[in-house]
Amino acid sequence: MGLLTGAFAFFVELPRIYKWLLKPYYITSFLISVAFLVTRKCPGLCENLPSQREDGNACDFDWREVEILMFLSAIVMMKNRRAFTVEHHIGNVLLFSKVANVILFFRVDLRLGLLYLAICAVFVMTCTPPVYMGPEYITYFNDKTLDDELQQDGRITWIVEFYANWSPECQAFAPVFAELSLKYHATFLRFGKVDIGRFGEVAEKYHVQPSPLTKKLPSLIAFQGGSELMRRPHVDRKGRAVSWTFTEENIIQEFNLNELYQKSKKLDKGRGESDQEPEQPSKAGEDPVEPEPISEQLENSESKKDQ
């Protein structure tokens, strides 16, 4: 059943995935990821590669290469358990495919391994993954504006994402967080982001370590009146982040976004009613009555007391 659900989701998202994969960054990444497969299977190239197959067929995988590819598949499946978008799944496949290619090329020939490693290094240094540029309702903070904005109004609940641009998980989460901001933004429920890769003081103050080994990126923290209400992923007693999947459904449920949104609407409605002053209706043809000056009101009240 899970396999059918995943396949259905893939076909539903296929038009968006197709558009996403046509970007130059992902086309180049895909070509680099299948470099060993093309080299091993392409006639004219494969004949020049050494092979440990008993039949001497250099254009087919030997048993060691099959083992490496199977090990790669197992790692990708384990890594993708925390993936929350289709783009994140595909990104993990491309990343670990490059790792397997490095091992396979070094095993075949040291020179090929060094050449492939140099190509990967050039790709990482010159190509950056596309940044989400779609619609959103998000406030971007820096180290000077974050605290002031969080403490400005105690009625406002802030959902703040602590992210880093170099993190693949943060890049994959960007469209999910943007979609939530469009659905749930209200006067007293707002969404913000702060780049802890640039502002290390913020990361230290809020105990979000900008390291891929800590598994704390991205981190979502709910604030009200400058005080932290909750965060995901939460940290255990040993300071380690507990694994958590950043899907839209999980965030809505864990942070009670539906309840916070309705509460914000009620507060906004109550504030609007209190701001409206009741006006006395005037009859047609009559000029509006001007209020008496305060001095005349005081004189009238004194004369009434004398009477």
Side-chain angles (χ1 to χ4, degrees):
M1 186 64 183
L3 182 61
L4 293 177
T5 304
F8 178 76
F10 175 80
F11 284 109
V12 169
E13 298 289 334
L14 189 58
R16 185 167 61 89
I17 297 172
Y18 180 75
K19 182 179 179 181
W20 177 75
L21 287 176
L22 286 181
K23 296 180 180 179
Y25 173 86
Y26 294 108
I27 294 176
T28 307
S29 180
F30 174 77
L31 294 176
I32 295 175
S33 300
V34 298
F36 185 81
L37 174 64
V38 173
T39 305
R40 177 60 82 181
K41 292 292 185 179
C42 180
L45 293 176
C46 60
E47 291 86 353
N48 300 319
L49 298 179
S51 176
Q52 295 183 4
R53 292 178 58 89
E54 295 180 357
D55 58 2
N57 184 9
C59 293
D60 203 355
F61 297 113
D62 58 41
W63 65 274
R64 182 63 70 181
E65 292 169 350
V66 173
E67 282 187 351
I68 294 174
L69 293 175
M70 294 294 292
F71 184 66
L72 165 69
S73 302
I75 293 179
V76 170
M77 292 179 62
M78 293 178 60
K79 188 67 176 179
N80 276 343
R81 291 190 303 176
R82 297 185 66 246
F84 35 83
T85 61
V86 178
E87 292 90 342
H88 197 188
H89 282 275
I90 298 177
N92 285 337
V93 172
L94 295 178
L95 173 62
F96 288 99
S97 295
K98 295 183 184 70
V99 175
N101 274 263
V102 171
I103 299 173
L104 291 170
F105 273 119
F106 268 110
R107 181 176 173 273
V108 169
D109 193 316
L110 178 62
R111 293 169 297 178
L112 292 177
L114 292 174
L115 176 62
Y116 184 81
L117 197 60
I119 293 173
C120 291
V122 172
F123 173 75
V124 171
M125 290 187 293
T126 59
C127 301
T128 56
V131 180
Y132 176 77
M133 299 297 293
E136 59 184 19
Y137 218 132
I138 297 173
T139 302
Y140 285 82
F141 298 116
N142 56 39
D143 54 346
K144 298 179 180 179
T145 60
L146 177 61
D147 293 337
D148 295 338
E149 195 67 34
L150 294 180
Q151 299 172 6
Q152 185 176 9
D153 191 337
R155 298 172 298 176
I156 299 177
T157 301
W158 281 95
I159 310 296
V160 182
E161 178 194 354
F162 293 76
Y163 74 101
N165 282 325
W166 50 261
S167 171
E169 289 79 9
C170 295
Q171 296 166 6
F173 181 61
V176 178
F177 195 61
E179 184 68 20
L180 289 171
S181 71
L182 294 174
K183 288 182 179 180
Y184 289 97
H185 177 273
T187 304
F188 299 102
L189 177 59
R190 301 180 186 178
F191 295 79
K193 296 178 72 170
V194 58
D195 186 358
I196 61 175
R198 295 177 55 192
F199 307 109
E201 301 85 358
V202 176
E204 184 178 354
K205 179 178 181 179
Y206 291 98
H207 308 290
V208 181
Q209 299 176 5
S211 171
L213 300 177
T214 60
K215 299 181 180 180
K216 292 183 179 180
L217 290 177
S219 283
L220 280 186
I221 305 180
F223 296 95
Q224 189 169 30
S227 301
E228 179 180 330
L229 300 179
M230 65 172 296
R231 71 168 62 198
R232 289 293 181 272
H234 67 273
V235 181
D236 59 17
R237 295 179 179 179
K238 297 182 179 180
R240 297 175 299 185
V242 179
S243 181
W244 195 71
T245 305
F246 283 85
T247 61
E248 184 174 333
E249 295 78 10
N250 286 348
I251 296 171
I252 294 172
Q253 181 179 359
E254 291 288 329
F255 286 85
N256 295 322
L257 291 186
N258 290 320
E259 181 180 345
L260 291 174
Y261 183 77
Q262 295 301 326
K263 180 181 178 181
S264 175
K265 287 296 185 182
K266 291 180 181 178
L267 288 173
D268 194 23
K269 183 178 180 181
R271 186 184 66 170
E273 292 177 353
S274 63
D275 291 341
Q276 294 178 357
E277 296 181 1
E279 298 180 356
Q280 296 293 336
S282 58
K283 296 181 180 180
E286 293 184 357
D287 295 332
V289 180
E290 296 182 358
E292 294 181 349
I294 296 178
S295 59
E296 294 183 6
Q297 294 179 13
L298 293 175
E299 291 177 359
N300 293 336
S301 61
E302 291 176 358
S303 64
K304 289 180 180 180
K305 290 180 180 178
D306 294 339
Q307 293 177 359

